Amino acid sequence: MSSIGQQIRAQLPYTKRNAASLALLIFAMVLTLSAFAEVGLARDGRLPLGLPLYGGGLVILGFAAYFVQAKFAPYADPLLLPLAVALNGIGLAMIYRLDLDTSKTKLDARAAGQKLAEDEASAPGQLMWTFIGIAMFVVAVLIMRDTKNGEGRFAISPKTMQRYTYIVGLSAMILLLLPIVPGLGGQVNGARVWIFIGPFSVQPGEFAKLMLVVFFAGYLVNKRQAMSLIGKKIGPLSLPRARDLGPIMVIWFFALGVLFVQKDLGTALLYFGLFVSMLYIATQRVSWVMIGVGLLAIGIFVATLLPFMGHVNQRIDIWQNPGPYFDGGCLVKSGEVVPVNPDTDLYKQAAAAGSQLPGQTACRKLGGEYSDSGQLLKGLFSLGEGGVLGTGLGQGEPWRTPLSFSDFIFDSLGEELGLTGLMVLLLVYALIVQRGMKTAIAARDPFLKLFAGGVSFVLALQVFVIVGGVTRLIPLTGLTTPFLSQGGSSLMANWILIAILVRMSHDARKPAPQAIQDEGMTQIVSTR
Amino acid sequence: MNMDKPLRRVAIFGLLLFFGLMAQVNYVQGSQADKLRTDRNNARQYLNLFNEPRGTIMAGPDVLVTSIETKKSNPKYGRVYKDGEIFAPITGYFTNSGGSGGLERAYNLLLSGQDKRLANQEWFDTFIGKKAKAANVQTTIDPQAQRVAYNALKASTTREGGAVVMDIKTGALKVLASFPSYDPTTVAPQTGEAGVKRFDAMNRDRAKPNVDKAMSEVNFPGSSFKAVVAASALENGISKDSSVPAPKTFLLPGTNTTLPNSHEGGACEQGQAPLIVTFAESCNTTYGILGSQQLGKDKVTDTAKKFGYDQRIEVEPNMSSAKSTFTLPNADGAQTALASIGQGSNSATPLHMAMVAAAAANKGKIMKPYLMEKVVSGDSQNVIEEADPKEFGQAMSAGSADQLADLMREVVRSGTGKSLAQFNIAGKTGTADIDGVEFNNRWFVGFAPVENPRYAFAVYTVGDGSGGEFAGPVAGKIMQAVRKD
């Protein structure tokens, strides 16, 4: 029986689908530009001032990306680029909508000489990062271009990465360590995941994510036979040899350790899921998935016991019962939650005593742990406001949610585009992931299979962790929403991810190289 | 060893993750949206309430409530109530904390322009986000009759009073008056701190000016409740001419207390009398015996429930009456006898009593009372919502209802309401002693005109004297005002 991959390959058309890709790309651009126009009309009563710049820039870069793809990866999956452009464009329109510095009211007030605080949402910044992100895509596809005679100068393909498995793994570790280097890294919103280089702030974890996929893929391809076949069997579980599992456990513990130190639970969850899924793809052993999940459970249990990781079990409590934590709640020893929000006497007393953070001070006096579910609930209120059809772009009040432009951008979109819009966004994500998975299955090379499967799954998992968090499906942990959240590192990393998938799908879908000679004509030369 | 199978499984798992997210988004935005919008912690529902003018509330051609610009930034708009004291039970109030009552609360979303139906009137306006103008609410109230009712209540009572008039064919409320009252303008947004203090003071005031006496407060209905006992009798095989007990006194079962009649002599001392005579003369003994022995608690309770007892009548969304009660669940014979003449544990709102009269006048059918005639969009003048008269229930058979109506006519022809003949109304008088004070609850519950009735009413006032003498004329004056339109 032929494998599923062979069946799919047999059915693949091996045709270039560039016209379809172009049509979809134009649709994605029309969608984006309409979104911009509506934001301007609804919010300010006029078309956005920067529409020619924003729109023109996006169109030029979009077409550049298309032409590079059509020339250098002509057999690429036609959906990936348009879907990514659509997501990026809608996210950009939403950030423009949330950046009230671009609104007519604020511009007029500034012109009248009023001094106003700047918004945290920054549409020009995000626009720049979008340009850079798409440029990264172009450059990545160019570097990974398919050359007729093997590899040209400076041309590398995803396959090339396999040669540098350990170097890439080491780089990932260094990148993850950077934020805890004093003077370079910094803490934002409780998580120490940023490094500051001059005026720029970078989240190295976003890039480390891709590198870890490369490392896991490269390593597992070499070892998977040994890992799945050799080993002790204890009951239904089969354990691998220590020397096969050792290096991968080292890097895994290292990653988790760094992340616990950085207090970035979401990323830890993401890497963990990535690790387990790739291990499963490589070895087909369900028992290993079980071991992995068990390890995670132990990890979380240990985390709840550690005093300095107190916010882990509190996050779980907030998830189940956010109400009392609104604007500040205090989990006391008895398991009860005492509200210490600004309306309570406890808060007022602490404030009167001159405390900078009255909620926390009041809670410390009670001997409990302080936390605040205000963000989560405000995000949910935002979703509730949207309902099924949404308020319409520019017509809601999504800026009432803190971090409405980054962690909670999905809720902001939910308010203005409604349930309908969110379903579309989730479908777009699901399509990208499934196209990636299809590429993995259709790929011929085991390393590329693992690589493509890994990057696709990591995208799905990231969307699940953050979107599930802001919709209260799972406890909230901070992660960026791919392509939508404000932030350069995330955009660049995700555009590179799309470039890799585009190149790999080109490889998988292009016709197999023709044999130069007929087999019948091959002379077999005996060496004896 | 091939990796396609695990890859496919992981791909399916990835899809399941997305299905999970989709299900959750559907749950949150589809089924939880309203709950989230009105969550206690959700500040959005109180913001922007004062930045846009609210819609008007009208009664006939009269504009009862309008928004005015305050020329301040917060609140930008205030609220003015014309003849506020007279119309307060209908309009309700709207305070500077966003709290509201009455129609202000029932149609808050429409009055504040937030209702989704308003935005969809012009698709292009929706597209560019032009805010919908607030909608205006037209009430069923007859403004002239309402004024007459309020002034008559004020003039006739020493403490408090309430009056209800409803259209028996539709359930539309024509009058919903209460005294003492308050002017909602004094607690409107523009009054600031003073309004908050005034509101607190009202809540502490023992006269409860902010609780309307027409539907939100219960009192002893006195003999007017005999209409319900009579209805129960008529439904259970007794006709208006059947002979029923009418002794001089009735020894309350299980006690040494005797229940006397309200007056000496007349039909109530004959031992036996036709039902219609005992009704006209309002014999306490007859109805005590009917309620506690001949019919029994269960049958009367049954009838009372059909008239809307034991439930809050939802006149408009978030605007319900108080609950009228006949007896407590474990009432004994003596307590049931007292309740059957509208005393003891019996307490009712004028709205419920008007519904009793409506059943008598309308072949036993009661229409659900309502206040909103229509809601009109402020932009397009389209009708967004319109009154949809609904049946509340069939309280008794048409035959019994006609007989009960005859009983009520007899009251004014020859009984305790003789002095009211000039007003062309029929009904039952009621006078209930209040323990420890010299005042009585005085009631007149009935319908008008006498032949081919169109309206049912209930008037309740507190003061010296009887229902026939004092509540009856108030009802007569109100009904003269109503019939003019």
Side-chain angles (χ1 to χ4, degrees):
Chain A
M1 200 189 84
S2 57
S3 74
I4 306 157
Q6 282 160 349
Q7 288 170 31
I8 287 183
R9 273 194 296 276
Q11 285 165 13
L12 276 179
Y14 295 132
T15 50
K16 301 177 184 177
R17 300 290 309 278
N18 291 321
S21 192
L22 182 62
L24 286 169
L25 184 66
I26 290 171
F27 179 70
M29 285 174 179
V30 170
L31 189 76
T32 305
L33 295 183
S34 316
F36 262 109
E38 194 189 341
V39 167
L41 285 171
R43 193 185 62 182
D44 308 328
R46 65 180 182 204
L47 287 171
L49 293 180
L51 191 65
L53 174 71
Y54 286 52
L58 203 65
V59 168
I60 291 170
L61 270 161
F63 282 122
Y66 166 75
F67 283 117
V68 171
Q69 178 190 291
K71 177 113 177 54
F72 296 105
Y75 289 96
D77 191 303
L79 255 61
L80 291 167
L81 177 65
L83 290 176
V85 167
L87 280 179
N88 194 161
I90 289 172
L92 187 55
M94 192 67 215
I95 286 163
Y96 177 77
R97 186 262 172 278
L98 289 166
D99 182 2
L100 299 178
D101 289 336
T102 63
S103 74
K104 188 166 179 290
T105 3
K106 247 185 164 174
L107 287 176
D108 289 353
R110 284 243 168 77
Q114 282 187 41
K115 283 218 165 72
L116 297 166
E118 279 205 17
D119 259 337
E120 276 186 275
S122 160
Q126 183 72 357
L127 181 72
M128 182 188 80
W129 288 118
T130 302
F131 288 170
I132 294 176
I134 302 182
M136 288 287 234
F137 171 89
V138 170
V139 171
V141 173
L142 272 176
I143 290 177
M144 295 187 290
R145 68 185 181 272
D146 191 12
T147 46
K148 288 223 171 59
N149 44 355
E151 283 160 25
R153 262 179 102 193
F154 307 119
I156 55 167
S157 77
K159 175 75 180 156
T160 322
M161 303 280 189
Q162 196 179 359
R163 287 183 220 153
Y164 309 109
T165 299
Y166 290 92
I167 292 173
V168 171
L170 191 70
S171 313
M173 281 161 76
I174 291 169
L175 279 181
L176 282 173
L177 274 176
L178 281 180
I180 48 176
V181 175
L184 194 58
Q187 195 156 339
V188 178
N189 298 324
R192 198 179 175 90
V193 292
W194 296 87
I195 56 170
F196 298 99
I197 307 166
F200 298 108
S201 52
V202 183
Q203 261 182 302
E206 292 285 344
F207 300 99
K209 181 176 73 186
L210 291 179
M211 293 182 165
L212 274 182
V213 176
V214 173
F215 170 73
F216 286 151
Y219 184 79
L220 288 169
V221 158
N222 285 338
K223 303 281 181 180
R224 68 193 190 103
Q225 306 281 7
M227 286 169 85
S228 57
L229 298 176
I230 312 169
K232 271 188 203 139
K233 230 176 150 69
I234 305 170
L237 299 179
S238 59
L239 298 176
R241 294 182 303 181
R243 67 170 139 163
D244 292 329
L245 195 58
I248 215 151
M249 289 304 271
V250 166
I251 199 156
W252 180 62
F253 272 119
F254 180 80
L256 286 194
V258 167
L259 294 166
F260 273 110
V261 172
Q262 292 173 355
K263 292 190 180 176
D264 185 10
L265 196 65
T267 317
L269 218 63
L270 186 70
Y271 290 0
F272 171 79
L274 173 67
F275 168 72
V276 170
S277 64
M278 290 188 71
L279 202 56
Y280 172 71
I281 294 172
T283 64
Q284 291 203 40
R285 290 233 176 251
V286 181
S287 58
W288 286 35
V289 177
M290 309 272 202
I291 296 172
V293 173
L295 280 174
L296 178 74
I298 293 169
I300 288 178
F301 180 69
V302 170
T304 58
L305 294 183
L306 298 176
F308 61 92
M309 289 302 294
H311 73 302
V312 173
N313 55 353
Q314 209 159 22
R315 277 194 181 182
I316 294 169
D317 197 48
I318 283 187
W319 167 57
Q320 289 167 331
N321 182 22
Y325 285 104
F326 189 80
D327 276 350
C330 189
L331 182 66
V332 292
K333 292 259 155 42
S334 65
E336 238 182 303
V337 183
V338 181
V340 286
N341 59 51
D343 287 338
T344 55
D345 291 338
L346 288 167
Y347 183 97
K348 285 174 191 159
Q349 281 164 17
S355 165
Q356 290 295 313
L357 298 162
Q360 280 91 324
T361 313
C363 189
R364 217 173 302 129
K365 266 190 209 151
L366 292 173
E369 293 166 46
Y370 176 87
S371 197
D372 182 357
S373 67
Q375 284 185 358
L376 173 63
L377 277 174
K378 281 175 188 166
L380 290 174
F381 295 155
S382 181
L383 284 178
E385 204 66 29
V388 174
L389 291 175
T391 58
L393 269 177
Q395 300 172 37
E397 296 172 331
W399 37 267
R400 293 201 183 281
T401 312
L403 299 179
S404 56
F405 50 88
S406 60
D407 286 18
F408 287 86
I409 196 163
F410 193 77
D411 287 349
S412 304
L413 286 159
E415 174 168 354
E416 303 214 318
L417 300 179
L419 170 60
T420 331
L422 291 190
M423 294 304 272
V424 170
L425 289 176
L426 288 175
L427 277 174
V428 170
Y429 278 125
L431 263 176
I432 295 181
V433 170
Q434 293 304 309
R435 284 287 164 160
M437 287 293 183
K438 192 179 166 190
T439 300
I441 292 177
R444 299 178 176 90
D445 180 84
F447 171 75
L448 292 183
K449 270 181 180 305
L450 262 176
F451 192 178
V455 291
S456 307
F457 187 72
V458 84
L459 185 68
L461 202 59
Q462 183 164 354
V463 173
F464 181 76
V465 169
I466 182 62
V467 171
V470 299
T471 56
R472 209 160 83 84
L473 179 62
I474 57 171
L476 178 63
T477 57
L479 271 185
T480 58
T481 320
F483 291 110
L484 296 178
S485 288
Q486 175 169 320
S489 316
S490 166
L491 261 188
M492 286 196 286
N494 284 310
W495 271 113
I496 293 172
L497 186 153
I498 294 293
I500 292 170
L501 280 180
V502 158
R503 173 56 213 267
M504 287 195 285
S505 68
H506 165 77
D507 275 342
R509 293 159 58 99
K510 75 178 174 189
Q514 295 292 311
I516 300 164
Q517 284 177 307
D518 254 345
E519 208 149 330
M521 298 189 41
T522 307
Q523 256 187 329
I524 295 163
V525 180
S526 168
T527 49
R528 273 196 208 152
Chain B
M1 204 174 63
N2 200 290
M3 284 192 280
D4 290 341
K5 208 194 230 173
L7 269 173
R8 196 171 62 152
R9 286 197 179 136
V10 170
I12 291 171
F13 180 69
L15 267 189
L16 287 179
L17 291 183
F18 283 106
F19 283 143
L21 291 178
M22 286 176 182
Q24 178 71 2
V25 172
N26 268 287
Y27 170 69
V28 171
Q29 292 203 283
S31 82
Q32 295 289 292
D34 281 334
K35 218 168 151 192
L36 287 167
R37 263 178 234 153
T38 52
D39 190 287
R40 192 166 52 87
N41 288 323
N42 193 345
R44 289 174 179 229
Q45 56 193 321
Y46 312 119
L47 297 160
N48 292 337
L49 271 179
F50 313 109
N51 290 334
E52 306 281 333
R54 281 169 79 82
T56 60
I57 301 178
M58 318 246 302
D62 291 21
V63 178
L64 304 181
V65 193
T66 46
S67 277
I68 47 150
E69 257 186 276
T70 58
K71 309 221 159 60
K72 283 189 288 185
S73 65
N74 189 29
K76 206 169 162 195
Y77 286 90
R79 203 82 171 127
V80 175
Y81 298 77
K82 192 182 157 216
D83 292 337
E85 293 195 325
I86 298 174
F87 293 98
I90 299 135
T91 59
Y93 58 89
F94 181 71
T95 69
N96 63 352
S97 65
S100 55
L103 287 177
E104 289 271 34
R105 177 165 65 190
Y107 292 96
N108 182 39
L109 283 181
L110 285 158
L111 284 168
S112 60
Q114 294 170 359
D115 195 283
K116 292 269 188 286
R117 287 167 294 176
L118 294 172
N120 294 339
Q121 301 288 319
E122 293 288 340
W123 73 269
F124 191 72
D125 288 350
T126 313
F127 182 74
I128 64 169
K130 200 176 132 196
K131 277 239 170 81
K133 257 203 217 157
N136 305 319
V137 174
Q138 177 76 43
T139 67
T140 56
I141 293 294
D142 175 340
Q144 210 43 50
Q146 175 81 12
R147 287 195 180 92
V148 168
Y150 179 77
N151 290 326
L153 287 173
K154 192 175 175 183
S156 82
T157 186
T158 47
R159 267 186 43 190
E160 60 169 44
V164 174
V165 177
M166 78 185 249
D167 187 322
I168 57 171
K169 300 291 178 202
T170 60
L173 293 171
K174 293 292 168 185
V175 170
L176 195 73
S178 170
F179 177 85
S181 187
Y182 69 104
D183 184 354
T185 311
T186 59
V187 298
Q190 68 271 27
T191 57
E193 277 299 305
V196 176
K197 286 199 179 117
R198 165 96 180 106
F199 199 81
D200 286 346
M202 261 190 329
N203 281 330
R204 286 195 303 270
D205 191 340
R206 290 179 66 189
K208 297 208 166 83
N210 54 339
V211 177
D212 81 89
K213 286 22 180 207
M215 58 176 257
S216 304
E217 196 183 274
V218 289
N219 291 289
F220 300 132
S223 303
S224 63
F225 187 76
K226 286 172 186 165
V228 177
V229 179
S232 186
L234 292 166
E235 284 285 274
N236 286 291
I238 297 171
S239 82
K240 66 177 179 179
D241 299 318
S242 303
S243 185
V244 290
K248 190 169 180 187
T249 57
F250 168 49
L251 185 66
L252 292 175
T255 67
N256 296 322
T257 317
T258 52
L259 178 70
N261 285 309
S262 56
H263 53 281
E264 301 278 314
C268 295
E269 292 183 2
Q270 289 166 357
Q272 290 280 323
L275 182 69
I276 192 163
V277 176
T278 63
F279 193 80
E281 298 240 340
S282 196
C283 302
N284 286 344
T285 51
T286 307
Y287 291 88
I289 293 167
L290 278 175
S292 65
Q293 294 177 342
Q294 210 164 330
L295 296 164
K297 188 176 97 179
D298 293 348
K299 279 181 182 160
V300 181
T301 305
D302 233 40
T303 309
K305 274 189 181 159
K306 284 185 180 159
F307 286 113
Y309 260 60
D310 270 359
Q311 60 169 294
R312 299 161 69 94
I313 309 292
E314 194 180 49
V315 173
E316 294 294 344
N318 288 316
M319 193 179 176
S320 296
S321 74
K323 196 157 87 178
S324 301
T325 330
F326 172 47
T327 56
L328 302 172
N330 51 359
D332 60 20
Q335 286 164 336
T336 309
L338 276 179
S340 300
I341 61 162
Q343 307 247 15
S345 57
N346 196 334
S347 60
T349 63
L351 181 71
H352 272 120
M353 296 317 293
M355 287 163 74
V356 172
N362 192 32
K363 309 267 179 219
K365 189 198 279 180
I366 305 176
M367 299 300 290
K368 184 185 111 36
Y370 64 87
L371 272 172
M372 183 273 293
E373 183 80 55
K374 59 183 177 185
V375 181
V376 180
S377 144
D379 290 315
S380 60
Q381 303 301 320
N382 286 352
V383 174
I384 310 279
E385 221 177 297
E386 206 166 4
D388 174 23
K390 280 195 216 55
E391 198 179 315
F392 175 80
Q394 185 79 27
M396 54 184 151
S397 70
S400 302
D402 287 346
Q403 293 194 52
L404 183 59
D406 283 345
L407 298 186
M408 288 183 164
R409 291 185 181 106
E410 191 63 26
V411 171
V412 177
R413 209 179 61 79
S414 70
T416 51
K418 257 190 301 201
S419 60
L420 306 170
Q422 47 159 327
F423 293 115
N424 191 16
I425 55 178
K428 180 71 192 87
T429 57
T431 311
D433 292 326
I434 312 170
D435 282 341
V437 292
E438 289 161 39
F439 306 129
N440 295 325
N441 285 354
R442 306 169 305 186
W443 290 77
F444 194 69
V445 175
F447 54 82
V450 174
E451 298 306 326
N452 298 321
R454 196 173 152 205
Y455 299 107
F457 60 81
V459 173
Y460 148 77
T461 67
V462 173
D464 292 327
S466 72
E469 286 169 89
F470 293 95
V474 172
K477 274 182 213 155
I478 296 171
M479 294 321 292
Q480 276 179 341
V482 171
R483 253 175 284 154
K484 273 179 199 149
D485 76 295

